[in-house]
Amino acid sequence: MMKIRSVIGILILIMLLSCGSVPTQEPMVKTVSYDDVMRFLAEDLTDQILYEPCKMVCWDFAEKLQQNARKAGIKCAVVTLAWEGSNRSHVINAFQTSDKGLIWIDVTGSHTPGVKGYDREIEPKTVGDTYLYEEIGGLPPIEVKLQKVSYDW
């Protein structure tokens, strides 16, 4: 009888300690068509958020778009691009579409209040390819050679 009470007590303690920490299940995400991705991007407002150095930067935009895509049931990756000869990098998104394959989207917003951002489609690249990096703030784009391309699906 004492063993049963101890076991029940331990089970109750475990249940109390785990209250509120039940893992939430992520919604099912799937690969969709190119048109579905474009419709999602047209409705998503992530690119309308103001770019603010040290507060809302490319990583934040890419992460927010990924979260919004997952909520919509669309598979989306955060893609980190690092280039040779620099410690700088840029973060964008990728969608694996069912009809057009992999597409890259740069959703980073505008740095100028009142000027809307846009979802810029970029041709996917691999390590060693050159990439035209468009700096926020009206600076001329620079061509860089990719040293690392990593996907976080």
Side-chain angles (χ1 to χ4, degrees), residues 38-54:
M38 292 300 118
R39 273 191 290 279
F40 162 74
L41 291 172
E43 293 175 8
D44 182 76
L45 300 177
T46 302
D47 61 321
Q48 304 304 309
I49 299 170
L50 188 64
Y51 177 94
E52 297 181 63
C54 302

Side-chain angles (χ1 to χ4, degrees), residues 34 37-38 40-41 44 47 58 61-62 65 76-79 81 90-95 97 102-108 118-124 131:
Y34 178 85
V37 171
M38 292 300 118
F40 162 74
L41 291 172
D44 182 76
D47 61 321
C58 60
F61 284 92
L65 184 70
C76 174
V78 170
V79 184
L81 308 173
H90 187 48
V91 183
I92 61 172
N93 295 94
F95 294 87
T97 67
L102 186 69
I103 61 169
W104 282 3
I105 299 292
D106 189 346
V107 70
T108 305
Y118 62 98
D119 301 313
R120 186 168 60 94
E121 187 174 350
I122 305 164
E123 181 182 339
Y131 169 73

Side-chain angles (χ1 to χ4, degrees), residues 16-17 19 43 47-48 50-51 56-57 67 73 84 94 109 112 131 133 137 140 147 152:
L16 289 173
L17 291 174
C19 277
E43 293 175 8
D47 61 321
Q48 304 304 309
L50 188 64
Y51 177 94
M56 187 69 180
V57 296
Q67 291 169 357
E84 291 181 355
T112 306
Y131 169 73
Y133 173 66
Q147 180 179 15
D152 177 12

Side-chain angles (χ1 to χ4, degrees), residues 6-92:
S6 296
V7 170
I8 291 173
I10 291 171
L11 290 174
I12 290 172
L13 181 60
I14 290 171
M15 287 173 46
L16 289 173
L17 291 174
S18 67
C19 277
S21 64
V22 177
T24 57
Q25 188 171 0
E26 186 134 335
M28 291 294 295
V29 295
K30 62 184 178 183
T31 299
V32 297
S33 71
Y34 178 85
D35 288 343
D36 288 338
V37 171
M38 292 300 118
R39 273 191 290 279
F40 162 74
L41 291 172
E43 293 175 8
D44 182 76
L45 300 177
T46 302
D47 61 321
Q48 304 304 309
I49 299 170
L50 188 64
Y51 177 94
E52 297 181 63
C54 302
K55 186 175 179 186
M56 187 69 180
V57 296
C58 60
W59 171 261
D60 300 299
F61 284 92
E63 192 173 65
K64 182 161 184 55
L65 184 70
Q66 183 186 49
Q67 291 169 357
N68 292 347
R70 285 180 175 171
K71 287 177 188 171
I74 300 171
K75 187 176 181 180
C76 174
V78 170
V79 184
T80 303
L81 308 173
W83 44 88
E84 291 181 355
S86 175
N87 62 355
R88 295 184 62 197
S89 61
H90 187 48
V91 183
I92 61 172

Side-chain angles (χ1 to χ4, degrees), residues 88 132-144:
R88 295 184 62 197
L132 191 63
Y133 173 66
E134 294 186 33
E135 184 75 58
I136 294 288
L139 297 173
I142 57 172
E143 192 171 273
V144 297

